[in-house]
Amino acid sequence: MGFVTDAPDAKAAAADPAKRGRDRSADVKQAIRDSATQLFATQGFAATGVREIAERAGVDPALVIRHFGSKAALFLGTMTLPGSWSHAIEGPLDETGERLAAFVFDQRPRVAASGTYAALIRASDSAEVRHELRMAVHRLLVAPLRHRLEGDDRSVRAQLVVTQITGLMSALWVTEDAEMLIGSGDAVIRLYGAAMQQLITPLQAR
Amino acid sequence: MGFVTDAPDAKAAAADPAKRGRDRSADVKQAIRDSATQLFATQGFAATGVREIAERAGVDPALVIRHFGSKAALFLGTMTLPGSWSHAIEGPLDETGERLAAFVFDQRPRVAASGTYAALIRASDSAEVRHELRMAVHRLLVAPLRHRLEGDDRSVRAQLVVTQITGLMSALWVTEDAEMLIGSGDAVIRLYGAAMQQLITPLQAR
DNA sequence: GTCTATAACGTGATAGAC
DNA sequence: GTCTATCACGTTATAGAC
């Protein structure tokens, strides 16, 4: 397979076999968590096997289940959206649209963010994953953004700006729309930023 | 399970057992296709079994594979986005944003459109599905829309309007964002429509 | 008692024999 | 076209090591 991202042989990162009992157990659990995070984010839920996670962590497959209950629970426990949107949301209000677009655009190579989002969307047939996803998006994006808006329909507008953001994330990370990448990032940021700005600070004009 | 949409017992729709040879074979194939379309659109790829598809079509499970090669190929062959966007795209240009938003919003109860889109997105870990999805979206939305735009950056703008559309589809059909439904459809259509209009007929002002 | 490893079960998709 | 075998999967039962 071969991943570009990091250590070619992260196996046996499991634990110092010299350790015993609770110490080693914690290490094993962490090794499983790390392995799962990597694999889920790069391959998704369905394509990643429990045996594969275990092998990469250097432990027995049964341990994965014993420690986390099920593959689904492990997925839910590890796949959490990283929340570093504060800078994009908290700057000057009249350029927030562009900052948001630029932020999404710049995350492209980062597997932690883009891979996690894609994995969650693709696993969203589970009601639990959908719930997790909605909560995370609300906490990280909708709520902070709504807090900054002024005027009418604040809630709906915040929600809709986030809908635009997730649309961009989907295009870049889920369906991987290549045209948009070559289509000059600058234009994307400027134009999509303006479209979001329309809902952040609405113009009276029409 | 119980589906709200249609015939409670569509089983044995397979074929008239009196028929022979090529005739019956075509009927069987169609019955499998119908069954698969229904089930994939309501339950998604992973949750739908070959046995289940076969039972609903009234045929042997092995026939499903024999006729379509694999479950994945059957999925690819049946899940195609319905394309009835013409009205929304072809009306007066200065209200296209609202028409697009309204069209998406009104599709909500229709499983054929919403379920198919959700199923495709969730199966988009397959490179083939991603390709299929991009082609369909381009053919149904990006190309017709770009054809109607004027001014600079037509291609990018068309692409970005479609990004907004898919964002709305994701929110309504994939993550199933409930707040937006109660959040008064009228406001959603008006506001999101305006945001799309921003890219369809850009204002010079700022 | 607690953590780990072996082996086995049930179910899924699919391939091959008839 | 139908039946049965195969193989990989998630998961569990159970026994071993400290």
Side-chain angles (χ1 to χ4, degrees):
Chain A
M1 285 261 145
F3 304 104
V4 207
T5 46
D6 66 351
D9 216 356
K11 274 185 210 176
D16 183 350
K19 285 193 187 174
R20 294 278 167 253
R22 180 154 281 119
D23 265 11
R24 159 150 173 115
S25 177
D27 284 0
V28 165
K29 202 164 177 181
Q30 189 54 45
I32 293 171
R33 220 192 296 269
D34 292 345
S35 165
T37 305
Q38 271 274 338
L39 292 171
F40 282 143
T42 47
Q43 310 180 331
F45 179 78
T48 302
V50 170
R51 289 166 168 80
E52 196 181 358
I53 296 170
E55 191 189 9
R56 193 171 222 275
V59 304
D60 190 275
L63 278 184
V64 174
I65 302 298
R66 184 162 183 85
H67 277 296
F68 292 91
S70 71
K71 181 187 165 188
L74 174 58
F75 182 79
L76 272 170
T78 49
M79 294 283 99
T80 56
L81 293 174
S84 40
W85 297 83
S86 354
H87 174 258
I89 293 178
E90 279 167 15
L93 200 60
D94 60 348
E95 287 165 353
T96 303
E98 282 210 5
R99 277 202 312 281
L100 285 169
F103 183 76
V104 172
F105 211 82
D106 293 344
Q107 296 287 321
R108 209 165 1 111
R110 312 193 50 149
V111 185
S114 62
T116 301
Y117 183 75
L120 283 168
I121 282 288
R122 289 176 183 143
S124 68
D125 43 344
S126 146
E128 243 179 317
V129 171
R130 273 200 306 275
H131 183 257
E132 229 22 75
L133 199 45
R134 278 196 303 259
M135 291 298 112
V137 168
H138 186 88
R139 185 168 43 80
L140 293 172
L141 290 169
V142 180
L145 196 61
R146 179 178 55 193
H147 187 254
R148 296 222 49 202
L149 297 187
E150 295 171 359
D152 294 337
D153 298 314
R154 258 172 280 210
S155 285
V156 182
R157 277 161 53 216
Q159 186 89 31
L160 290 178
V161 171
V162 173
T163 299
Q164 292 175 301
I165 296 174
T166 54
L168 188 57
M169 298 197 295
S170 267
L172 292 172
W173 306 338
V174 181
T175 59
E176 292 171 9
D177 236 306
E179 282 189 45
M180 234 191 264
L181 312 185
I182 46 178
S184 161
D186 285 351
V188 170
I189 291 170
R190 180 171 45 82
L191 291 165
Y192 209 73
M196 291 197 274
Q197 196 66 39
Q198 163 79 17
L199 291 175
I200 296 170
T201 51
L203 307 168
Q204 330 303 60
R206 184 55 200 267
Chain B
M1 281 267 147
F3 305 101
V4 208
T5 46
D6 67 349
D9 217 356
K11 274 186 209 176
D16 183 349
K19 286 191 186 173
R20 294 273 167 259
R22 182 154 278 121
D23 264 12
R24 164 157 168 108
S25 178
D27 284 1
V28 164
K29 203 162 176 182
Q30 190 54 45
I32 293 172
R33 224 192 291 272
D34 292 345
S35 165
T37 305
Q38 270 274 338
L39 293 171
F40 282 143
T42 47
Q43 308 179 330
F45 179 78
T48 302
V50 170
R51 289 162 168 79
E52 196 180 358
I53 295 171
E55 191 189 9
R56 200 184 162 81
V59 302
D60 190 279
L63 269 188
V64 175
I65 302 296
R66 198 169 178 75
H67 276 299
F68 292 90
S70 73
K71 180 185 162 188
L74 174 58
F75 182 80
L76 269 171
T78 49
M79 295 283 98
T80 57
L81 293 174
S84 38
W85 296 82
S86 355
H87 175 259
I89 293 178
E90 279 166 16
L93 199 62
D94 61 349
E95 286 165 354
T96 302
E98 281 209 5
R99 277 201 312 281
L100 285 169
F103 183 76
V104 172
F105 211 83
D106 292 345
Q107 295 287 321
R108 207 164 4 111
R110 311 192 54 146
V111 185
S114 62
T116 301
Y117 182 75
L120 282 168
I121 283 287
R122 290 177 182 141
S124 67
D125 44 346
S126 146
E128 245 179 314
V129 171
R130 271 200 307 275
H131 182 256
E132 217 40 61
L133 198 45
R134 278 195 304 258
M135 291 299 111
V137 167
H138 186 89
R139 184 168 44 79
L140 293 172
L141 291 168
V142 180
L145 196 62
R146 180 177 56 194
H147 187 254
R148 296 221 51 202
L149 296 188
E150 296 171 357
D152 295 335
D153 297 315
R154 259 173 280 212
S155 286
V156 182
R157 275 162 53 215
Q159 186 89 31
L160 290 179
V161 172
V162 173
T163 300
Q164 291 177 300
I165 295 175
T166 53
L168 189 56
M169 298 198 295
S170 265
L172 291 172
W173 306 337
V174 182
T175 59
E176 293 171 8
D177 235 305
E179 282 189 43
M180 236 191 264
L181 311 185
I182 46 177
S184 160
D186 285 353
V188 171
I189 291 169
R190 178 170 47 82
L191 291 166
Y192 210 71
M196 291 198 275
Q197 195 66 40
Q198 163 80 17
L199 290 176
I200 295 169
T201 52
L203 306 170
Q204 330 303 61
R206 186 50 210 252

